[in-house]
PDB file of all heavy atoms in Angstrom:
ATOM      1  N   ARG Z  49      19.914  21.844  -5.634  1.00  0.00           N
ATOM      2  CA  ARG Z  49      20.552  23.127  -5.866  1.00  0.00           C
ATOM      3  C   ARG Z  49      21.418  23.480  -4.664  1.00  0.00           C
ATOM      4  O   ARG Z  49      20.905  23.740  -3.589  1.00  0.00           O
ATOM      5  CB  ARG Z  49      19.496  24.232  -6.081  1.00  0.00           C
ATOM      6  CG  ARG Z  49      20.093  25.546  -6.588  1.00  0.00           C
ATOM      7  CD  ARG Z  49      19.042  26.643  -6.704  1.00  0.00           C
ATOM      8  NE  ARG Z  49      18.443  26.902  -5.387  1.00  0.00           N
ATOM      9  CZ  ARG Z  49      19.067  27.603  -4.420  1.00  0.00           C
ATOM     10  NH1 ARG Z  49      20.303  28.067  -4.602  1.00  0.00           N
ATOM     11  NH2 ARG Z  49      18.480  27.800  -3.255  1.00  0.00           N
ATOM     12  N   PHE Z  79      17.792  -0.363 -12.504  1.00  0.00           N
ATOM     13  CA  PHE Z  79      18.016  -1.723 -11.980  1.00  0.00           C
ATOM     14  C   PHE Z  79      16.899  -2.609 -12.504  1.00  0.00           C
ATOM     15  O   PHE Z  79      15.746  -2.128 -12.600  1.00  0.00           O
ATOM     16  CB  PHE Z  79      17.975  -1.702 -10.424  1.00  0.00           C
ATOM     17  CG  PHE Z  79      18.043  -3.075  -9.782  1.00  0.00           C
ATOM     18  CD1 PHE Z  79      19.255  -3.699  -9.497  1.00  0.00           C
ATOM     19  CD2 PHE Z  79      16.867  -3.765  -9.481  1.00  0.00           C
ATOM     20  CE1 PHE Z  79      19.306  -4.951  -8.931  1.00  0.00           C
ATOM     21  CE2 PHE Z  79      16.902  -5.029  -8.913  1.00  0.00           C
ATOM     22  CZ  PHE Z  79      18.128  -5.619  -8.630  1.00  0.00           C
ATOM     23  N   TRP Z 102       8.358   3.773  -4.458  1.00  0.00           N
ATOM     24  CA  TRP Z 102       9.235   3.388  -3.345  1.00  0.00           C
ATOM     25  C   TRP Z 102       8.629   3.869  -2.037  1.00  0.00           C
ATOM     26  O   TRP Z 102       7.705   4.677  -2.035  1.00  0.00           O
ATOM     27  CB  TRP Z 102      10.617   4.013  -3.535  1.00  0.00           C
ATOM     28  CG  TRP Z 102      11.429   3.493  -4.710  1.00  0.00           C
ATOM     29  CD1 TRP Z 102      11.011   3.360  -5.996  1.00  0.00           C
ATOM     30  CD2 TRP Z 102      12.791   3.070  -4.681  1.00  0.00           C
ATOM     31  NE1 TRP Z 102      12.038   2.884  -6.789  1.00  0.00           N
ATOM     32  CE2 TRP Z 102      13.161   2.701  -6.001  1.00  0.00           C
ATOM     33  CE3 TRP Z 102      13.778   2.985  -3.670  1.00  0.00           C
ATOM     34  CZ2 TRP Z 102      14.426   2.248  -6.337  1.00  0.00           C
ATOM     35  CZ3 TRP Z 102      15.039   2.537  -4.011  1.00  0.00           C
ATOM     36  CH2 TRP Z 102      15.361   2.159  -5.320  1.00  0.00           C
ATOM     37  N   LEU Z 139      17.850   3.217  -1.433  1.00  0.00           N
ATOM     38  CA  LEU Z 139      18.585   4.390  -1.921  1.00  0.00           C
ATOM     39  C   LEU Z 139      18.705   5.369  -0.759  1.00  0.00           C
ATOM     40  O   LEU Z 139      17.698   5.821  -0.214  1.00  0.00           O
ATOM     41  CB  LEU Z 139      17.861   5.051  -3.099  1.00  0.00           C
ATOM     42  CG  LEU Z 139      18.624   6.216  -3.721  1.00  0.00           C
ATOM     43  CD1 LEU Z 139      19.883   5.731  -4.447  1.00  0.00           C
ATOM     44  CD2 LEU Z 139      17.740   7.021  -4.690  1.00  0.00           C
ATOM     45  N   GLN Z 172      22.777  19.844 -15.275  1.00  0.00           N
ATOM     46  CA  GLN Z 172      22.441  21.123 -15.928  1.00  0.00           C
ATOM     47  C   GLN Z 172      23.738  21.823 -16.337  1.00  0.00           C
ATOM     48  O   GLN Z 172      24.637  21.990 -15.492  1.00  0.00           O
ATOM     49  CB  GLN Z 172      21.680  21.998 -14.923  1.00  0.00           C
ATOM     50  CG  GLN Z 172      21.309  23.374 -15.421  1.00  0.00           C
ATOM     51  CD  GLN Z 172      19.930  23.413 -16.080  1.00  0.00           C
ATOM     52  OE1 GLN Z 172      19.051  22.635 -15.733  1.00  0.00           O
ATOM     53  NE2 GLN Z 172      19.762  24.305 -17.026  1.00  0.00           N
ATOM     54  N   ARG Z 198      33.944  -1.048 -29.744  1.00  0.00           N
ATOM     55  CA  ARG Z 198      34.819  -0.808 -28.581  1.00  0.00           C
ATOM     56  C   ARG Z 198      35.952   0.125 -29.017  1.00  0.00           C
ATOM     57  O   ARG Z 198      36.656  -0.162 -29.977  1.00  0.00           O
ATOM     58  CB  ARG Z 198      35.365  -2.123 -28.050  1.00  0.00           C
ATOM     59  CG  ARG Z 198      35.903  -2.037 -26.623  1.00  0.00           C
ATOM     60  CD  ARG Z 198      36.269  -3.399 -26.096  1.00  0.00           C
ATOM     61  NE  ARG Z 198      36.688  -3.359 -24.707  1.00  0.00           N
ATOM     62  CZ  ARG Z 198      35.987  -3.847 -23.680  1.00  0.00           C
ATOM     63  NH1 ARG Z 198      34.814  -4.420 -23.925  1.00  0.00           N
ATOM     64  NH2 ARG Z 198      36.422  -3.762 -22.438  1.00  0.00           N
ATOM     65  N   SER Z 202      40.564   9.197 -26.228  1.00  0.00           N
ATOM     66  CA  SER Z 202      41.820   9.934 -26.446  1.00  0.00           C
ATOM     67  C   SER Z 202      42.130  10.787 -25.212  1.00  0.00           C
ATOM     68  O   SER Z 202      41.266  11.034 -24.372  1.00  0.00           O
ATOM     69  CB  SER Z 202      41.658  10.822 -27.691  1.00  0.00           C
ATOM     70  OG  SER Z 202      40.534  11.668 -27.493  1.00  0.00           O
ATOM     71  N   LEU Z 230      28.278  28.666 -17.013  1.00  0.00           N
ATOM     72  CA  LEU Z 230      27.772  28.764 -15.635  1.00  0.00           C
ATOM     73  C   LEU Z 230      28.922  28.955 -14.662  1.00  0.00           C
ATOM     74  O   LEU Z 230      28.702  28.989 -13.435  1.00  0.00           O
ATOM     75  CB  LEU Z 230      26.936  27.521 -15.292  1.00  0.00           C
ATOM     76  CG  LEU Z 230      25.642  27.360 -16.097  1.00  0.00           C
ATOM     77  CD1 LEU Z 230      24.840  26.155 -15.602  1.00  0.00           C
ATOM     78  CD2 LEU Z 230      24.786  28.613 -16.045  1.00  0.00           C
ATOM     79  N   ALA Z 284      25.705 -13.146  -4.509  1.00  0.00           N
ATOM     80  CA  ALA Z 284      25.298 -14.421  -3.896  1.00  0.00           C
ATOM     81  C   ALA Z 284      23.996 -14.210  -3.117  1.00  0.00           C
ATOM     82  O   ALA Z 284      23.663 -13.067  -2.721  1.00  0.00           O
ATOM     83  CB  ALA Z 284      26.396 -14.893  -2.953  1.00  0.00           C
ATOM     84  N   ALA Z 293      27.377   7.478  -5.733  1.00  0.00           N
ATOM     85  CA  ALA Z 293      27.797   8.631  -6.557  1.00  0.00           C
ATOM     86  C   ALA Z 293      27.742   9.872  -5.676  1.00  0.00           C
ATOM     87  O   ALA Z 293      26.781  10.062  -4.934  1.00  0.00           O
ATOM     88  CB  ALA Z 293      26.864   8.795  -7.750  1.00  0.00           C
TER      89      ALA Z 293
END
Side-chain angles (χ1 to χ4, degrees):
R49 191 184 60 76
F79 174 87
W102 293 50
L139 184 69
Q172 178 91 29
R198 198 173 184 110
S202 56
L230 295 184

